[in-house]
Amino acid sequence: QEFTKNRDAFIFSAYFQRAPGRRMSAGPPWDFNLAMGNSEEFTGVEGLIVPGRDLAGNLLRRPEIFRRFQERWRELRAPGGAFSEERVLALVDEVVAESGLAAERQFGRYSELRSPTKRFVMNVNYGVDTYEENVRIVRDYLVKRGRWLDGALGAMETPDDLFSEEMARVLEESEALGIGWWREEESP
């Protein structure tokens, strides 16, 4: 949820389950239409959103949970890890290949997906003309978001760093940038 900067994280479309005799677990994750820069509130790659959510924020204030959060991020980002750049980009490519012509047809059919003149509620809509440009934006967003999180989470020493005035400023400035940032750099 934090990696994709999902606006709905831990407030909407969040499910928990518990099989008999087992611990409760989160999931399955879904509903990422307001993620990866496609939300009026969370467009930039900088800033953390989960600490601002009641459940997750309260858990992250506990030093042991905070430490595990950092450790889990490092594990996921390690070479070959589920959120490593190579795995994330390979997953995007896999999804694009699997969706094939269906995605092209949908993008071609619904004009509001191409350089929209109106926006859906709470969505930014990337404002591009092709499916390929949408894919590039998602790829770029995930690479930049991962790199930002690597630096930010790696520099934090205590849970207080998640809730600092500096972090609040970073989030505020990031959102003020809007969606134009990803047109400034080429795809990696």
Side-chain angles (χ1 to χ4, degrees):
Q1 298 291 341
E2 186 66 71
F3 178 49
T4 62
K5 206 171 182 188
N6 186 1
R7 182 205 182 282
D8 289 342
F10 296 105
I11 54 174
F12 298 110
S13 304
Y15 290 92
F16 294 86
Q17 56 186 323
R18 187 176 83 65
R22 312 244 358 226
R23 290 181 177 217
M24 184 170 65
S25 63
W30 72 288
D31 192 11
F32 290 89
N33 65 311
L34 297 177
M36 296 173 271
N38 192 36
S39 167
E40 288 182 341
E41 291 179 297
F42 301 114
T43 54
V45 297
E46 295 91 0
L48 297 166
I49 60 166
V50 174
R53 306 297 193 225
D54 290 339
L55 173 63
N58 288 332
L59 287 171
L60 285 172
R61 288 181 189 278
R62 297 175 58 193
E64 178 62 19
I65 300 291
F66 172 75
R67 185 185 60 74
R68 288 183 180 190
F69 176 66
Q70 286 182 305
E71 287 173 3
R72 181 67 173 145
W73 179 253
R74 284 191 296 272
E75 176 185 316
L76 291 169
R77 289 290 285 178
F83 292 171
S84 65
E85 265 182 41
E86 62 273 10
R87 292 277 305 271
V88 168
L89 294 176
L91 177 61
V92 171
D93 292 343
E94 186 180 312
V95 169
V96 168
E98 189 174 305
S99 60
L101 296 176
E104 289 286 350
R105 285 192 309 269
Q106 176 174 327
F107 198 83
R109 178 178 178 167
Y110 297 102
S111 62
E112 60 269 18
L113 296 175
R114 298 184 312 275
S115 299
T117 56
K118 63 180 180 178
R119 297 194 315 195
F120 298 115
V121 176
M122 295 183 290
N123 283 49
V124 170
N125 292 317
Y126 298 134
V128 296
D129 293 319
T130 67
Y131 174 66
E132 290 78 16
E133 287 177 288
N134 268 275
V135 171
R136 181 187 55 80
I137 287 169
V138 169
R139 288 172 59 91
D140 288 353
Y141 188 91
L142 292 173
V143 167
K144 291 176 184 180
R145 178 72 174 153
R147 290 176 183 175
W148 184 86
L149 284 167
D150 290 342
L153 294 177
M156 293 180 185
E157 296 177 8
T158 70
D160 292 338
D161 294 334
L162 286 169
F163 305 93
S164 68
E165 288 181 29
E166 173 66 14
M167 186 54 64
R169 184 192 60 74
V170 165
L171 182 59
E172 185 177 308
E173 288 178 6
S174 171
E175 302 325 315
L177 290 175
I179 63 171
W181 66 269
W182 53 59
R183 294 184 187 274
E184 296 174 7
E185 292 183 15
E186 290 298 319
S187 235

